[in-house]
Amino acid sequence: MTLRAGIVGCGGISRAHASAYANLDGVTLSALCDINADALNARADEHGVSARYSDYEEMFEKEELDVVSVCTHAPLHGPVAIAAASHGVNVLSEKPLSVDLETADKMLAACNEAGVRLAVSHQFRFTPLFQEAKAWIDAGRIGEFRSIREVGKGRPAGFELMEMGVHYFDGMELFLDGIEWIHAQITYDGHEVGVQDIMTSRELCKTDKRDNGIVAGDTMLIHIKGTNGGYGVMELYPRKQTQGWMMGPHILGSEGQLMIRPNPDTFVDELWHCPFDVSFPTHTPQWEKVPIDPERLRIGDGLWGRRQSIWSVRDMVTSIKEGRQPQLGGSAALTSLECVFAVYESHFTGTRATLPLKERRHPLVNRLRNTSGNRES
Ligand SMILES: NC(=O)c1ccc[n+]([C@@H]2O[C@H](COP(=O)([O-])OP(=O)(O)OC[C@H]3O[C@@H](n4cnc5c(N)ncnc54)[C@H](O)[C@@H]3O)[C@@H](O)[C@H]2O)c1
């Protein structure tokens, strides 16, 4: 059986989803939707797709799709996913799953009720490099697991948390075997974030217009406690990208370190290993690249060495064919987003926020409401 796939939102990230569906076996890219005719036609022409829509409800009504990739900005992920579920279509949502947990819960409930899958696209965990790093850790090749560190790409932290932060939380969830609690401190313009610093993501980040809802702070230090006893540290602060996007996990064990970083010349990720538990400048030459068999990077017709969404699209497609949940399906789809709101909850309460969060209301919107309520009374 060949699955029929559709995409809603034909902007930047849809390129990766479209080429994934076009390159994977057992699935075909059947329909596309965008309110912007230029974006729609450009993507559809690229893949010779004739079913083109400006209204996703109409697309779900007319096309018998098995799966849809939701590639709009985050506030639309919920409405599109719920509409897809009502037509029996499995949903692969781009990250962040939503702009608040209440909507994310509704998305999951709608998909569960309709008997379709809901998954979120955090592609990094599926790549051969992340899988290889995880295999090294599980085999004890860096000794006892100690910590994992990630640094943002340099956009203001409240925005970055929804863009790269959710990816980092997902990677930490993988390497820490689960996340127990989060403790965070947030500042804005040098002072501790308060209710007066809560704003829209577009107000906070002038250089990237993607809509990530209500956010706060330009700088965050986030501590994460893992189920395996290890710790995660995430640092998000404004910085210039002088050497490209040098992001990726740095993992420390009692007998060695692992690092995944893009090669600054090719932008292809590489896995590196160092046989010491901490770094000294004198030991740095002992970092060595871990060889990865190129055959492991082969999917469909191509070699996929770069961070491509084909890995998460493939998991969704095979999960449908095999009648199982995708790896980031069901309640796992919500984890990285819960971490975002745990960060705000922790900052404003000054305590650790334990996962899963009991409070489902948006912690920032909630505080804004309470403040304006107090002013009125
Ligand atoms: N997984 C990743 O690594 C990764 C990378 C980049 C972006 N993303 C995520 O993907 C999402 C989209 O980001 P982007 O950079 O592609 O944004 P974009 O602005 O390039 O594209 C969004 C598209 O959605 C369309 N759109 C808006 N309203 C619509 C509607 N009602 N129906 C149909 N289409 C509509 C817009 O016209 C636009 O073409 C964001 O949530 C972002 O965080 C994920």
Side-chain angles (χ1 to χ4, degrees):
M1 175 190 63
T2 299
L3 301 180
R4 288 170 54 78
I7 298 176
V8 179
C10 296
I13 196 60
S14 75
R15 179 186 299 275
H17 287 253
S19 73
Y21 288 123
N23 277 280
L24 289 169
D25 291 335
V27 62
T28 180
L29 183 58
S30 302
L32 293 168
C33 170
D34 200 298
I35 51 170
N36 177 325
D38 291 341
L40 174 66
N41 289 328
R43 194 64 70 236
D45 289 348
E46 228 169 79
H47 294 283
V49 176
S50 54
R52 306 176 184 194
Y53 295 87
S54 58
D55 177 351
Y56 58 82
E57 291 276 5
E58 190 189 343
M59 180 175 86
F60 294 137
E61 193 68 50
K62 293 195 176 151
E63 303 291 328
E64 287 190 2
L65 298 178
D66 297 293
V67 57
V68 67
S69 282
V70 186
C71 297
T72 59
H73 294 182
L76 257 188
H77 294 173
V80 177
I82 290 168
S86 75
H87 288 88
V89 183
N90 293 287
V91 179
L92 177 60
S93 170
E94 257 310 333
K95 56 78 190 166
L97 185 62
S98 175
V99 285
D100 63 82
L101 279 180
E102 286 176 297
T103 306
D105 287 341
K106 285 182 194 153
M107 292 164 76
L108 186 55
C111 288
N112 283 344
E113 243 167 67
V116 296
R117 294 159 184 77
L118 171 70
V120 63
S121 186
H122 291 303
Q123 67 272 33
F124 302 125
R125 70 158 57 218
F126 298 104
T127 64
L129 294 185
F130 271 58
Q131 292 295 313
E132 183 70 10
K134 177 72 172 144
W136 273 58
I137 293 164
D138 289 350
R141 293 180 70 179
I142 59 166
E144 194 182 320
F145 187 100
R146 284 190 175 146
S147 64
I148 172 169
R149 179 170 178 258
E150 287 273 14
V151 177
K153 283 182 178 177
R155 296 166 293 197
F159 179 88
E160 191 73 308
L161 191 63
M162 291 293 253
E163 286 296 332
M164 293 314 298
V166 284
H167 277 319
Y168 297 162
F169 283 131
D170 185 63
M172 291 194 184
E173 201 278 336
L174 174 73
F175 292 122
L176 295 169
D177 294 332
I179 294 176
E180 289 185 358
W181 54 252
I182 284 175
H183 193 270
Q185 291 159 284
I186 313 176
T187 57
Y188 179 61
D189 210 13
H191 64 263
E192 188 151 326
V193 157
V195 176
Q196 73 282 359
D197 302 308
I198 298 173
M199 58 184 84
T200 66
S201 73
R202 283 177 168 159
E203 283 173 286
L204 178 68
C205 183
K206 309 284 186 214
T207 53
D208 192 323
K209 288 296 167 203
R210 280 176 289 190
D211 185 354
N212 281 317
I214 302 297
V215 300
D218 57 22
T219 302
M220 293 183 183
L221 176 60
I222 304 166
H223 289 113
I224 295 122
K225 171 75 192 318
T227 306
N228 69 357
Y231 287 89
V233 179
M234 197 188 298
E235 293 165 53
L236 308 178
Y237 44 81
R239 69 181 172 95
K240 287 206 177 94
Q241 291 164 4
T242 46
Q243 294 175 50
W245 287 347
M246 296 310 286
M247 58 178 195
H250 179 188
I251 299 164
L252 288 95
S254 58
E255 290 166 31
Q257 303 172 54
L258 293 170
M259 208 188 269
I260 299 174
R261 284 287 183 282
N263 180 309
D265 299 322
T266 61
F267 292 106
V268 174
D269 274 357
E270 294 168 347
L271 173 63
W272 288 71
H273 169 248
C274 167
F276 297 96
D277 66 336
V278 286
S279 288
F280 296 102
T282 48
H283 290 157
T284 302
Q286 298 206 28
W287 277 97
E288 279 185 359
K289 195 163 111 176
V290 176
I292 303 282
D293 180 354
E295 278 311 303
R296 288 180 66 190
L297 299 176
R298 190 175 289 286
I299 315 182
D301 291 339
L303 281 173
W304 300 86
R306 296 179 68 165
R307 296 162 190 254
Q308 304 266 5
S309 306
I310 192 166
W311 302 102
S312 45
V313 172
R314 181 176 71 166
D315 185 57
M316 176 52 118
V317 168
T318 52
S319 78
I320 298 170
K321 289 186 172 279
E322 291 169 4
R324 60 167 172 87
Q325 273 292 331
Q327 216 181 97
L328 290 174
S331 57
L334 272 63
T335 305
S336 56
L337 192 65
E338 297 220 18
C339 291
V340 166
F341 298 114
V343 164
Y344 290 119
E345 199 55 37
S346 167
H347 170 79
F348 276 97
T349 58
T351 59
R352 295 170 184 168
T354 305
L355 296 185
L357 289 180
K358 288 202 184 78
E359 175 59 80
R360 309 307 283 178
R361 289 171 300 180
H362 194 306
L364 300 179
V365 175
N366 219 11
R367 280 177 174 79
L368 276 180
R369 275 201 200 110
N370 290 343
T371 309
S372 66
N374 289 342
R375 274 199 209 112
E376 280 157 23
S377 58

